[in-house]
Amino acid sequence: MRPIIALDADGVLVDYHHAYADAWAKAFGRRPALRDPAAYWPMDRWDVRRLTGDELETFRKCFDAEFWSSIPAMAGALEACRELVEAGYDLVCVTAMEMQFETARLRNLRGLGFPIERVIATANAQSAESPKAAALRELQSVAFVDDYLPYMRGIPPQIHAALVLREPNG
């Protein structure tokens, strides 16, 4: 059995920021302007308003299986994954998303050419321990890569945790 590296998807493998702007355009008919290219959260990155009520429901409906199967790759992510596989690792995507979209996420990654055969969807609730920690323990992964620091909480010490730092604002 080859050692496993667990990778988050959004912000590590795929460009959620780009997809968020596409979902906004689908919901409201125009792609939002870029407000802060260094913002971590999409709401801060794009020139969008806080939504409530019917507008929020309209927007949420855009985050469907089609959305989760069509997010573009992050620059360099595909090449990095291919190099890890060539170096002898198996890759598993461990992502905080609704379980119903796990297959769509795998379809997205495979369609982009990522050498990933398995996606594990976890909860995304905030707690004392990362919602991904249990999956990482079960996988017995040797490393875990994410872009969200709270998802490193409770990761067993024998798992190398790598935090991707991109957008510093927020």
Side-chain angles (χ1 to χ4, degrees):
M1 191 166 141
R2 294 161 42 115
I4 294 172
I5 295 178
L7 302 158
D8 178 42
D10 299 313
V12 174
L13 299 174
V14 294
D15 189 346
Y16 183 79
H17 286 303
H18 177 86
Y20 182 96
D22 287 346
W24 188 275
K26 182 178 178 181
F28 305 113
R30 68 165 184 82
R31 187 175 175 84
L34 186 61
R35 178 182 7 201
D36 180 359
Y40 177 82
W41 298 106
M43 282 213 45
D44 299 327
R45 183 180 188 89
W46 299 105
D47 188 16
V48 296
R49 63 190 176 282
R50 292 213 178 268
L51 302 174
T52 59
D54 291 342
E55 278 190 323
L56 181 57
E57 280 309 306
T58 296
F59 188 50
R60 283 184 176 158
K61 286 179 184 174
C62 294
F63 293 82
D64 56 10
E66 179 184 338
F67 172 85
W68 295 111
S69 353
S70 61
I71 302 175
M74 295 290 293
L78 183 56
E79 296 79 11
C81 287
R82 287 179 178 156
E83 289 178 17
L84 288 169
V85 168
E86 287 175 18
Y89 295 96
D90 282 336
L91 307 180
V92 175
C93 176
V94 178
T95 183
M97 67 183 315
E98 295 177 37
M99 297 279 256
Q100 70 188 40
F101 299 121
E102 194 175 70
T103 301
R105 167 121 303 154
L106 180 59
R107 186 171 42 250
N108 183 204
L109 295 173
R110 297 297 300 151
L112 293 169
F114 281 99
I116 294 173
E117 300 295 330
R118 184 173 177 201
V119 169
I120 300 172
T122 69
N124 61 7
Q126 298 296 322
S127 64
E129 180 176 272
S130 166
K132 299 178 180 187
L136 298 173
R137 282 191 295 272
E138 184 178 321
L139 286 170
Q140 297 180 6
S141 61
V142 297
F144 172 55
V145 181
D146 207 314
D147 69 326
Y148 188 52
L149 186 59
Y151 287 159
M152 299 296 178
R153 277 186 271 179
I155 302 301
Q158 70 273 18
I159 297 174
H160 176 78
L163 182 66
V164 174
L165 297 175
R166 291 182 302 17
E167 294 86 8
N169 296 346

